[in-house]
Amino acid sequence: IQTLGAHGLIVIIMVYMTTIEGMRPTWGSVGRTMIAANLYMFFVTGVNVALGSNYMYTLRKPDSASLLDILGPWPWYLFWAEFVALFLFTLLYMPFAIKDWRAAVK
């Protein structure tokens, strides 16, 4: 429940920040988010090696079936997950890009 709640709050915070606070992403934020996620993954991998843990599944896939199974074996699923993340970040940015494009056309 804690994991679902924490991840759900991330979505709620993003909606709040864009609708109430008026903040919004840019194309540059897509790249910065990819860089930040990779730096975080690098740090977490170091923690995993030191503790023998497997946060973010950087050292192996989970024992149970997951969506990572369709991305190939370790370490290839980490490579393909980069493309999935980039696609999702771009997809989430598209409403803002379309709004900007429509405003520029007027």
Side-chain angles (χ1 to χ4, degrees), residues 49-70:
V49 170
L51 299 178
S53 56
N54 193 27
Y55 295 106
M56 294 181 69
Y57 303 115
T58 60
L59 300 181
R60 67 184 181 283
K61 290 183 187 179
D63 296 331
S64 60
S66 73
L67 291 176
L68 293 177
D69 292 336
I70 63 173

Side-chain angles (χ1 to χ4, degrees), residues 32-104:
R32 286 189 303 276
T33 302
M34 287 296 295
I35 291 169
N38 279 284
L39 290 174
Y40 181 68
M41 186 176 70
F42 181 76
F43 171 76
V44 168
T45 301
V47 170
N48 286 338
V49 170
L51 299 178
S53 56
N54 193 27
Y55 295 106
M56 294 181 69
Y57 303 115
T58 60
L59 300 181
R60 67 184 181 283
K61 290 183 187 179
D63 296 331
S64 60
S66 73
L67 291 176
L68 293 177
D69 292 336
I70 63 173
L71 298 180
W74 184 90
W76 291 107
Y77 71 87
L78 297 173
F79 174 76
W80 291 112
E82 292 287 324
F83 289 102
V84 172
L86 181 60
F87 172 76
L88 290 174
F89 292 161
T90 303
L91 183 67
L92 290 170
Y93 177 68
M94 289 316 318
F96 298 97
I98 292 169
K99 182 179 178 184
D100 290 346
W101 176 73
R102 286 185 177 168

